[in-house]
Amino acid sequence: MDEFLDKKYQQTNQNNFEDYLVYTGVNYLGRKIALTLKPVQSLHRNNDGTYTFRITSSYFNWEIVFTPGIEFEETKPDGSKVRAKFLMNDNIMTHIQVDENGIQSKHVIEFYPDKNIVTTTATGLEKVVTRHYTLVS
C-alpha cells in the first residue's frame, strides 16, 4: 500500500451511487449534492501507525483516522453514525460499515498507479455501485 500513500485521486464517474444513497437513507438534498461533487481521496500513514483517509470536495471535507483491523465508531458525511473497520491487503483497502439497522456496506478500494476503483455493496441492495477515480497528484 506504501506506493499509494499521499497521492490524490479525483472521482471521474460513478454508477448506481444514487441507488445506494437512497437505500442507506440519505435525504434528497444530500443525494443531489453528493451526485454533483467530484471528490478527491487520499490516504496517509501517521507516525503512530494509524492511517488517515481523506475525502475533500468543494462542499465538504471528511477525514477518518483508523487502525487497520480495529472497529470504531464513524460519523459519515451526512452525520449518521456507523460501526466501521478498515482492512488492508496489498493494493486493496476494504472499508466496512454497519449501521444501526444492521445494514452492512462494504467499500472495496482498489489502488493502481494511475487510478483507483471503489466497488460498494450493501446488505439487501441488489445493485453494485462503482466509482472511478483518476490520479491527480
Side-chain angles (χ1 to χ4, degrees):
M1 192 60 77
D2 287 354
E3 68 185 278
F4 308 111
L5 296 174
D6 300 315
K7 295 185 177 182
K8 294 180 180 181
Y9 299 85
Q10 184 165 31
Q11 183 179 308
T12 55
N13 62 55
Q14 46 84 10
N15 190 24
N16 296 324
F17 188 47
E18 184 169 21
D19 295 314
Y20 172 74
L21 296 174
V22 168
Y23 186 74
T24 58
V26 177
N27 68 42
Y28 178 81
L29 183 58
R31 291 193 313 268
K32 294 309 170 190
I33 291 169
L35 294 172
T36 62
L37 299 175
K38 298 294 183 198
V40 174
Q41 295 180 346
S42 63
L43 181 64
H44 175 77
R45 185 172 40 233
N46 304 310
N47 290 337
D48 64 0
T50 63
Y51 289 81
T52 300
F53 184 55
R54 288 186 181 96
I55 299 176
T56 59
S57 73
S58 58
Y59 187 72
F60 75 93
N61 296 322
W62 182 49
E63 181 174 286
I64 305 169
V65 177
F66 67 92
T67 301
I70 304 296
E71 189 176 277
F72 64 99
E73 183 177 84
E74 174 188 334
T75 302
K76 294 171 44 175
D78 68 356
S80 63
K81 296 192 182 303
V82 294
R83 297 301 307 159
K85 180 171 29 175
F86 282 83
L87 305 172
M88 299 172 86
N89 187 18
D90 297 325
N91 69 318
I92 298 174
M93 182 172 77
T94 303
H95 180 193
I96 301 167
Q97 301 168 308
V98 179
D99 72 13
E100 63 185 10
N101 299 314
I103 295 174
Q104 177 180 290
S105 296
K106 184 189 294 186
H107 313 278
V108 178
I109 305 167
E110 297 176 77
F111 288 88
Y112 299 96
D114 61 342
K115 65 183 177 184
N116 75 35
I117 300 169
V118 181
T119 304
T120 298
T121 56
T123 307
L125 179 65
E126 295 182 11
K127 295 183 178 183
V128 174
V129 178
T130 55
R131 289 170 283 162
H132 296 257
Y133 291 75
T134 300
L135 180 68
V136 293
S137 69

